[in-house]
């Protein structure tokens, strides 16, 4: 099964500006850098990577899971960073219900980032990483023309499961990876931002060698230097699946994710 998002690759119009946001303000270590790309370590098993682009950008939406007990510590880091926080129409910055807290903010390219925490997550299953206290990359948004068609493809080809699907919005989940499939006419909250299709490459991780071998027999293999990935594409989105032997397969169970989550 897919257990996590291993990497998110996004375009940027400024590598220097991206470095200022993710390294200097959010404290993510730089793990790779060249004249046309830069990568940051969000956690030991997830990277955020940016490649230089000369095309107009459509902002992406993604969410970082942090420990519930340390959510306000992470939120204070965002406030102190000077990054633009997306407030709700009533002026509040943090949305909170009994089991969940979240906060939205934006980077220099207009990407809508989210800090999210859930009270049911076992906080000792994965060490919190860096000043942001990141546990894992929880959500990536996929604006699509047909939510049901895209959802069905994730389920059929990659073994994801849907949680309370509708024709406008669905969480499609495997392990810690939540694909937020949304109709392009439904805006991202809390600022009603147009859900445009971003130019991104999503790398999914699996420690399951048998699952990875089955994918290799069905899809194109791509050599990424010291890593082998299987390449897929759907509705203009590029995906890879990477064998991630360093990710403990039992982590998902130990996180105490609820059924279907």
């Amino acid at each position: 099964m897919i257990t996590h998002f291993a990497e998110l690759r996004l375009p940027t119009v400024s590598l220097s500006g991206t470095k200022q946001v993710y390294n200097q303000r959010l404290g993510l270590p730089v793990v790779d850098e060249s004249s046309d790309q830069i990568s940051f370590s969000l956690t030991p098993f997830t990277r955020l990577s940016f490649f230089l682009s000369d095309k107009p950008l459509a902002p992406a939406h993604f969410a970082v899971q942090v420990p519930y007990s340390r959510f306000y510590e992470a939120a204070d880091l965002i406030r102190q960073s000077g990054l633009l926080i997306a407030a709700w129409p009533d002026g509040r910055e943090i949305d909170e219900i009994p089991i969940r807290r979240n906060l939205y903010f934006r980077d220099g390219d207009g990407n809508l980032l989210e800090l999210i925490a859930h009270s049911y997550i076992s906080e000792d299953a994965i060490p919190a990483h860096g000043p942001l206290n990141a546990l894992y990359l929880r959500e990536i948004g996929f604006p699509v023309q047909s939510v049901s068609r895209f959802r069905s493809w994730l389920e059929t080809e990659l073994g994801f499961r849907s949680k309370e699907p509708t024709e406008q919005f669905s969480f499609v989940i495997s392990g810690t990876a939540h694909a937020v499939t949304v109709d392009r006419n439904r805006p991202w909250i809390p600022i009603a931002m147009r859900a445009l299709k971003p130019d991104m490459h999503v790398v999914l991780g699996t420690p399951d060698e048998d699952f990875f071998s089955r994918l290799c027999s069905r899809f194109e293999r791509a050599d990424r230097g010291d890593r082998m990935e299987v390449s897929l594409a759907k509705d203009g989105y590029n995906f890879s699946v990477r064998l991630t032997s360093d990710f403990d397969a039992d982590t998902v169970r130990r996180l105490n994710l609820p059924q279907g989550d």
Side-chain angles (χ1 to χ4, degrees):
M1 68 175 288
I2 300 298
T3 53
H4 64 290
F5 292 120
E7 187 174 1
L8 173 60
R9 302 171 185 156
L10 292 169
T12 179
V13 294
S14 173
L15 292 175
S16 176
T18 298
K19 189 173 185 178
Q20 287 182 33
V21 169
Y22 289 92
N23 176 247
Q24 298 173 18
R25 299 194 180 193
L26 298 181
L28 304 189
V30 176
V31 291
D32 190 29
E33 185 175 9
S34 70
S35 61
D36 60 1
Q37 66 87 35
I38 188 167
S39 294
F40 308 94
S41 174
L42 178 67
T43 75
F45 48 84
T46 300
R47 287 187 179 189
L48 297 178
S49 299
F50 296 83
F51 58 90
L52 193 60
S53 175
D54 58 2
K55 299 177 181 179
L57 305 182
H61 166 57
F62 57 96
V64 177
Q65 184 84 35
V66 301
Y68 193 77
S69 66
R70 302 177 72 176
F71 173 83
Y72 287 104
E73 180 183 332
D76 284 344
L77 174 68
I78 304 304
R79 290 193 179 101
Q80 295 166 13
S81 74
L83 295 172
L84 179 63
I85 294 176
W88 291 80
D90 61 6
R92 63 193 160 91
E93 295 176 343
I94 292 173
D95 187 48
E96 186 167 359
I97 61 175
I99 65 167
R100 189 263 299 145
R101 298 166 175 160
N102 67 347
L103 174 146
Y104 292 84
F105 63 103
R106 304 181 76 179
D107 69 7
D109 289 313
N111 296 311
L112 185 65
L113 284 67
E114 180 183 358
L115 290 182
I116 191 165
H118 297 85
S119 60
Y120 54 75
I121 295 293
S122 296
E123 297 186 5
D124 58 354
I126 303 177
H129 187 64
L132 202 58
N133 294 313
L135 293 176
Y136 53 87
L137 181 58
R138 182 182 195 266
E139 300 172 14
I140 298 178
F142 295 89
V144 292
Q145 290 184 337
S146 171
V147 170
S148 60
R149 183 178 64 197
F150 193 80
R151 179 180 69 233
S152 177
W153 180 81
L154 287 171
E155 293 170 341
T156 301
E157 301 296 350
L158 294 171
F160 278 65
R161 301 184 308 276
S162 295
K163 181 179 180 181
E164 300 176 358
T166 73
E167 292 303 306
Q168 292 289 311
F169 181 94
S170 294
F171 280 113
V172 197
I173 305 161
S174 187
T176 63
H178 291 56
V180 186
T181 56
V182 61
D183 187 275
R184 293 181 184 179
N185 292 317
R186 182 191 184 279
W188 295 122
I189 55 176
I191 53 174
M193 187 174 80
R194 291 287 296 179
L196 304 175
K197 177 192 166 298
D199 178 16
M200 64 183 181
H201 187 129
V202 177
V203 182
L204 304 165
T206 178
D208 187 334
E209 294 186 9
D210 290 339
F211 176 75
F212 185 74
S213 295
R214 291 195 296 271
L215 291 177
C216 287
S217 67
R218 296 169 54 210
F219 300 105
E220 180 182 356
R221 298 179 68 171
D223 187 359
R224 302 284 182 185
D226 61 344
R227 296 187 297 265
M228 186 64 68
E229 298 177 359
V230 178
S231 298
L232 308 85
K234 178 65 174 177
D235 291 356
Y237 289 107
N238 293 315
F239 292 87
S240 297
V241 178
R242 179 185 298 164
L243 183 63
T244 52
S245 302
D246 56 340
F247 187 93
D248 185 351
D250 195 45
T251 298
V252 173
R253 181 193 61 80
R254 290 188 288 106
L255 280 166
N256 193 38
L257 299 173
Q259 185 68 33
D261 198 40

